[in-house]
Amino acid sequence: MSLSELRVFGRSGTPISQLTLGTMNFGEGAGGPHGAPTGADESIRIIHTALDSGITAIDTADVYSQGESEQVVGRALRGRRDDVFLATKFHGQMSANPAHSGNSRRWITQAVEGSLRRLQTDRIDLYQAHRPDYNTDVLETITTLNDLIRQGKILYYGTSVFTPAQLVEAQWLANTNHLIPPLGNQVPYSMLVRGNERDVLPIAQQYGLGVLAYGPLAGGWLSGSFTFEAGKAPTRVHSLPGRYDISGPASERKLLAADALARLADKLELSLVDLSIGFALTHPAISSVIIGPRNEEHLQAYLGAADVRLSEPVLDAIDDLVPPGTNFVERDAGAIVPSIEFAELRRR
């Protein structure tokens, strides 16, 4: 595998690079619990380096830094827009007004105009529902997105972290109502987050969906920043509260698995990043893996991983450490459905 090798995005016939540049870290508002933000000038340099290195796909969202990420991408793509498969997302709340969010026709028709303006483009290649909206009928959402295709404002549309039932429902509604069905789905996927292998990825293959896999380093668990020594409490460099709480038994098992995977990478004389990206790229349902560098050093580490090829024995060894279909922690799956998140929906 290498960046010179392109993959077709689902049933679209559109070739894209095996790595997609994710821009969640770009913009001054991208700091906080996720770390220091990457300023506009450095973000633009990273984008240009990525494009010069062979990356042809960029993924952003209106809610990233409350529009700053899209603005940075728009500036960086001046004169290069036609060379990029540009994906962005709607759903997140964009102001103090809660009506400025969700998957309704009212909000989507406003949100797309804001994204087009910030991205300085006349069309979005892939427009994605960032999360399911349990207050909006799915048919309303996909009908609105079909209208945007007919208007030429978007070329394709997709979803992110939709459940298997929601993926099938969207395809069925589109087909029975003579609409263009969703083309893509975005999912978390890594050696530590494999739950989507059970149903989401097979469904994507069945319906010809292009899949953008995010979180190949499992939110930092496979970055190499964890340390584990026998007889000592496990720690993480720059630990984040909550998400990286390793006091529970599930997280302890996850940490032990991360440590075992790091040891496997050492045995193979690979970096843990190389092993992680190589693994994510191996699944036949994955169209492209989203990388989210904070600086050019991170970018170079990701770019090198595109050349990694994992043999069947290595993949078997990974399966032995983390069985297929495994999620250690429920929230790793992405969006948690309301019936699980809210107790009042499952109790009398």
Side-chain angles (χ1 to χ4, degrees):
M1 292 180 290
S2 72
L3 285 176
S4 62
E5 298 178 24
L6 303 179
R7 296 183 177 184
V8 174
F9 189 72
R11 59 180 183 272
S12 71
T14 300
I16 65 171
S17 54
Q18 295 183 87
L19 297 183
T20 291
L21 181 65
T23 66
M24 186 176 68
N25 299 321
F26 296 171
E28 297 301 330
H34 297 290
T38 303
D41 291 342
E42 183 174 7
S43 298
I44 290 172
R45 285 195 296 271
I46 292 172
I47 293 171
H48 288 167
T49 300
L51 298 181
D52 292 341
S53 300
I55 287 180
T56 67
I58 294 178
D59 177 73
T60 185
D62 56 6
V63 77
Y64 293 164
S65 303
Q66 291 294 289
E68 287 186 48
S69 174
E70 287 186 327
Q71 290 175 343
V72 168
V73 171
R75 288 175 54 192
L77 293 186
R78 290 174 186 168
R80 307 185 70 164
R81 172 65 185 91
D82 291 340
D83 298 328
V84 173
F85 184 81
L86 181 58
T88 191
K89 299 182 283 292
F90 63 90
H91 174 85
Q93 190 166 327
M94 289 296 290
S95 76
N97 185 347
H100 294 168
S101 64
N103 300 352
S104 68
R105 172 178 289 272
R106 184 178 186 274
W107 175 239
I108 291 171
T109 54
Q110 295 179 65
V112 71
E113 298 298 338
S115 288
L116 288 168
R117 182 180 63 256
R118 288 185 292 269
L119 291 166
Q120 302 181 42
T121 186
D122 61 350
R123 85 282 182 194
I124 294 163
D125 294 309
L126 179 66
Y127 201 38
Q128 304 157 102
H130 207 158
R131 292 291 185 270
D133 181 352
Y134 292 91
N135 295 314
T136 301
D137 189 90
V138 175
L139 183 58
E140 174 172 331
T141 300
I142 66 174
T143 301
T144 305
L145 293 167
N146 270 257
D147 290 344
L148 294 182
I149 290 176
R150 292 190 172 93
Q151 294 165 20
K153 294 179 179 180
I154 68 174
L155 302 185
Y156 309 108
Y157 73 94
T159 56
S160 178
V161 297
F162 271 41
T163 66
Q166 290 166 338
L167 291 174
V168 174
E169 180 187 15
Q171 294 290 322
W172 182 82
L173 284 172
N175 290 326
T176 55
N177 288 277
H178 308 289
L179 301 171
I180 301 169
L183 177 67
N185 191 42
Q186 195 169 130
V187 299
Y189 186 60
S190 72
M191 292 188 290
L192 291 177
V193 182
R194 303 186 61 176
N196 286 312
E197 292 174 336
R198 293 180 178 273
D199 36 38
V200 169
L201 294 181
I203 287 172
Q205 289 176 292
Q206 179 181 351
Y207 287 101
L209 300 180
V211 177
L212 297 179
Y214 71 85
L217 303 188
W221 286 76
L222 296 173
S223 65
S225 59
F226 284 97
T227 60
F228 180 82
E229 295 181 37
K232 295 184 180 181
T235 59
R236 181 184 189 272
V237 180
H238 308 305
S239 179
L240 302 184
R243 185 175 185 183
Y244 297 99
D245 179 10
I246 54 177
S247 59
S251 292
E252 287 182 7
R253 291 194 297 271
K254 184 177 175 181
L255 180 68
L256 290 172
D259 182 71
L261 291 167
R263 295 175 188 275
L264 175 62
D266 287 342
K267 181 180 179 181
L268 297 170
E269 298 184 340
L270 293 172
S271 72
L272 189 53
V273 171
D274 285 346
L275 186 66
S276 300
I277 299 293
F279 170 82
L281 285 170
T282 299
H283 197 290
I286 303 300
S287 304
S288 186
V289 173
I290 299 175
I291 57 173
R294 294 185 183 276
N295 53 50
E296 292 205 49
E297 181 181 357
H298 290 168
L299 175 63
Q300 292 302 327
Y302 285 126
L303 294 175
D307 293 322
V308 174
R309 295 179 182 272
L310 302 183
S311 66
E312 290 296 325
V314 170
L315 294 172
D316 289 341
I318 294 171
D319 288 349
D320 289 340
L321 297 174
V322 182
T326 296
N327 276 351
F328 290 94
V329 181
E330 178 65 30
R331 64 177 174 266
D332 288 343
I336 300 179
V337 297
S339 59
I340 295 177
E341 188 171 8
F342 301 109
E344 62 269 21
L345 296 181
R346 61 180 185 274
R347 298 175 184 168
R348 292 183 178 181

